[in-house]
């Protein structure tokens, strides 16, 4: 099986989600709308590439003529290569605890530089001006002993709560900066507050409005 490009992996994940949710494959028009393709030909080109690589079977002459092949389904014979997708994490719980995983997306970790260890679904609009919107998915890398540089975007846990912000530190004082003037920075005193770095942001996926 040929490897998927990041865009192809996003589309395949979206199709899987729609089939699981609706018990029906999506239409080409729905795919075009979800990914803001400018023409039906763009959507069709991606579908044909997924079919050529063995993940889909296409049927002409029907609106919902998209079928997942054995390799395109999560229960297929192809070993699943991907990253765990984490949703909202309850305060005080491990980041990658099974109960907070929404599943796994077929995204190769090495598509990001450096490679990613997990995906995190964004909650809220505090990073809007960095083009990170509610529902977007961030690729995150975990590195033991990692020390962020000022201005770097990181996933941190502060007093049990997980957030995504830009890092700024001076001495024992850390400011976690949003990218939206409607939100205030989070002030952290390392001598008093509990702060743990969960990883650095290494990429972003936008999988369409229905995923």
């Amino acid at each position: 099986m040929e490897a998927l490009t990041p865009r192809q992996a996003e589309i395949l994940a979206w199709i899987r989600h729609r089939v699981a949710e609706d018990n029906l494959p999506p239409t080409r028009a729905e795919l075009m709308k979800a990914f803001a393709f400018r023409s039906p030909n763009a959507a069709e080109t991606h579908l044909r590439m997924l079919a050529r690589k063995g993940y889909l079977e296409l049927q002409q002459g029907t609106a919902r003529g998209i079928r997942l092949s054995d390799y395109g389904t999560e229960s297929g014979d192809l070993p699943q290569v991907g990253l765990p997708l984490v949703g909202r994490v309850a305060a005080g719980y491990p980041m990658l605890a099974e109960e907070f995983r929404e599943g796994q997306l077929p995204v190769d970790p090495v598509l990001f530089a450096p490679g990613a260890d997990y995906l995190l679904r964004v909650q809220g609009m505090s990073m809007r001006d960095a083009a990170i919107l509610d529902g977007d998915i961030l690729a995150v890398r975990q590195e033991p002993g990692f020390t962020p540089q000022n201005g770097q975007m990181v996933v941190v846990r502060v007093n049990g709560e997980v957030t995504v912000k830009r890092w700024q530190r001076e001495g024992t004082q850390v400011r976690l900066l949003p990218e939206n003037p409607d939100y205030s920075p989070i002030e952290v005193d390392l001598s008093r507050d509990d702060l743990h770095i969960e990883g650095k942001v290494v990429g972003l996926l936008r999988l369409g409005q229905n995923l």
Side-chain angles (χ1 to χ4, degrees):
M1 297 291 291
E2 292 185 51
L4 298 177
T5 67
R7 193 59 158 170
Q8 290 164 2
E10 293 175 34
I11 292 170
L12 180 60
W14 179 81
I15 293 172
R16 284 176 173 172
H17 176 82
R18 290 299 305 274
V19 170
E21 287 289 307
D22 303 337
N23 291 318
L24 286 172
T27 66
R28 288 162 170 80
E30 289 168 342
L31 173 64
M32 181 178 169
K33 180 179 179 181
F35 287 87
F37 291 133
R38 295 184 178 181
S39 71
N41 285 341
E44 188 68 25
T45 296
H46 284 289
L47 290 175
R48 288 179 179 176
M49 286 301 298
L50 285 168
R52 186 180 70 77
K53 292 183 177 184
Y55 292 91
L56 298 179
E57 297 172 1
L58 301 181
Q59 299 174 339
Q60 300 301 320
T62 175
R64 297 188 183 274
I66 302 171
R67 296 290 183 272
L68 291 167
S69 70
D70 288 342
Y71 287 123
T73 62
E74 293 188 348
S75 59
D77 296 330
L78 184 70
Q80 293 300 305
V81 176
L83 293 168
L85 172 61
V86 180
R88 183 180 295 276
V89 178
Y93 283 79
M95 188 73 185
L96 295 176
E98 189 66 33
E99 57 264 42
F100 305 125
R101 296 192 186 193
E102 296 184 7
Q104 181 159 305
L105 294 187
V107 178
D108 194 328
V110 301
L111 292 174
F112 306 99
D117 294 303
Y118 66 92
L119 304 171
L120 177 66
R121 189 182 294 277
V122 174
Q123 306 284 342
M125 298 291 284
S126 68
M127 302 302 285
R128 179 197 64 193
D129 294 346
I132 299 174
L133 308 179
D134 183 55
D136 283 352
I137 294 172
L138 298 179
V140 184
R141 180 176 178 85
Q142 294 176 313
E143 293 184 2
F146 166 63
T147 301
Q149 301 295 313
N150 283 347
Q152 193 164 16
M153 194 176 299
V154 293
V155 179
V156 298
R157 186 188 298 271
V158 182
N159 297 326
E161 298 282 354
V162 174
T163 187
V164 179
K165 296 290 184 290
R166 290 202 184 275
W167 177 271
Q168 185 179 79
R169 177 177 177 176
E170 184 174 347
T172 62
Q173 304 300 308
V174 172
R175 302 183 80 223
L176 301 172
L177 305 177
E179 291 276 3
N180 183 335
D182 295 334
Y183 291 75
S184 299
I186 298 174
E187 307 284 349
V188 181
D189 184 342
L190 296 179
S191 67
R192 180 187 66 238
D193 297 311
D194 180 28
L195 183 147
H196 176 74
I197 300 168
E198 296 285 356
K200 62 183 177 182
V201 176
V202 296
L204 179 142
L205 299 174
R206 184 164 294 153
L207 301 185
Q209 62 185 5
N210 293 312
L211 184 63

